[in-house]
Amino acid sequence: MKHLARAVTFLLFLTIGLSGAWGGMSPFMTQLSAAIQKIPSVRENPGMNRLYRMRFYFPSDQVAQREGFWEQFLRAFSDKDQERAIAFYLYQMYISSAAYGQLPQGRLTVNQLGVLDGLERLPGAFDVRKAPAFYQKHKSEIKNWLKLFFSKAHLPVYRESDVQNDSVELNFLRILASSADGKGRAGYRLDDPQWKSSLKNQEAARLTKLQRLAQQEIARKVVLYQVNKADLSAADKMTARGNNRSLREYLYRPAAKECAASAYVTGSCLCEQLAAHSSTAKGISRVYQLHMRPQGGGVLQAAGGKGFYAPSGTKYPEWYYHEAVLIIVNRGREYTPVVLDKFLFDNPVELEDWLALFDQRRTVLYATPFRRWEDTEERLVCPDRKTPQGIVKEGRTYHPYPVEE
């Protein structure tokens, strides 16, 4: 009876507190918050353990092929993918907000990490600035998805006919729209992390082993480029391609010198380990490819304006972007975010320590659930042999990419 009385007292206090925090929000939101916050691990560490109730994509070793022109053309006439992705975002925001006990304001921050997963995995680009209008047009379909998500999670029943939830959902979508860059892609503003995490020694040793395996693979591979001569100064070399065959050059660069290539190979190795040796990679629930961009253009700014340094102490030239891999480790509903970034750290490092290297006010984080792609795999290869001029792959000579170190 004593435990029952404590439970009743806690839920009563929670309901009263949340009614003030939510400003008289819908009964569904109050019920959801009570259900989420009564989970002990979420109460103790809502910043990360809220992931326990959030939907996510399991890391996969499958190599996918990007859609061709006709597939994209036909898909353009259907809104189903976008409807599901918007509902996925709203569900994640409901869970995150319920865990924190308050509605977010302004823009998305790293403390909402994971809410963009569905949008990031859309086969085509979706301009999130149009999300509120899209919601109004497709509200019925989106709410049907929400009903399904909450039902599968065994959470309070979401009633698609309850219009009291509309204001909450429109608020979430306005935050999404305000978090977009100039191309309509949403990212996370850097902020002080609201989570507690501690990488245990045993876990650190296991992840260090995985990182070493990835680094061995990175050292063997190069990135192949087919670029126009005029394109050699492109900042995003991983996306450089040429169209004019008469001016095309065939170039390569060691994968170990490209942060995007290194992050991709690391993610691939992790997924291979998850598929082949579940005990070795036990506890890894999510794998993300992280992408840092300067807010408003220009170059990335380091915290304190000191610049970015290799673990050896060598200062890097200016960066226009930077990529790394994020692993979310789950141990008994205790989630720890860990970054693998050989450019900045010798060993796996907790996410908050990695974020602390970047200027909060001038940096945006994009976190994409890791996925293997056929076209990327074709460009990240082991050379057949080396020559004085460069490397040879399938009979073609590739020359070194002329970039400043």
Side-chain angles (χ1 to χ4, degrees), residues 101-120:
Q102 60 184 5
L103 284 171
Q105 301 294 323
R107 299 179 56 182
L108 296 172
T109 77
V110 291
N111 290 300
Q112 280 91 39
L113 181 71
V115 301
L116 295 171
D117 289 6
L119 291 162
E120 285 291 319

Side-chain angles (χ1 to χ4, degrees), residues 55-108:
R55 299 175 64 84
F56 64 97
Y57 297 93
F58 290 98
S60 171
D61 191 39
Q62 299 298 311
V63 179
Q65 185 175 8
R66 298 186 200 271
E67 290 186 338
F69 170 79
W70 288 110
E71 290 171 307
Q72 294 180 33
F73 179 79
L74 294 172
R75 188 182 290 277
F77 292 97
S78 172
D79 294 311
K80 289 184 179 179
D81 288 334
Q82 291 91 336
E83 291 165 359
R84 186 179 188 278
I86 290 294
F88 197 97
Y89 164 78
L90 291 173
Y91 172 87
Q92 310 285 54
M93 286 294 282
Y94 266 122
I95 300 299
S96 288
S97 301
Y100 287 128
Q102 60 184 5
L103 284 171
Q105 301 294 323
R107 299 179 56 182
L108 296 172

Side-chain angles (χ1 to χ4, degrees), residues 335-346:
Y335 290 83
T336 304
V338 183
V339 175
L340 305 186
D341 183 353
K342 78 177 194 66
F343 289 86
L344 295 174
F345 292 94
D346 278 329

Side-chain angles (χ1 to χ4, degrees), residues 202-238:
Q202 183 180 3
E203 201 69 63
R206 183 180 291 110
L207 295 180
T208 298
K209 181 179 179 180
L210 291 173
Q211 185 175 23
R212 297 290 182 267
L213 290 172
Q215 289 177 345
Q216 292 171 14
E217 188 67 16
I218 291 168
R220 287 194 289 266
K221 292 193 172 183
V222 299
V223 190
L224 303 181
Y225 303 101
Q226 298 180 24
V227 300
N228 291 338
K229 291 182 180 179
D231 291 340
L232 295 183
S233 62
D236 278 329
K237 293 179 288 300
M238 279 293 286

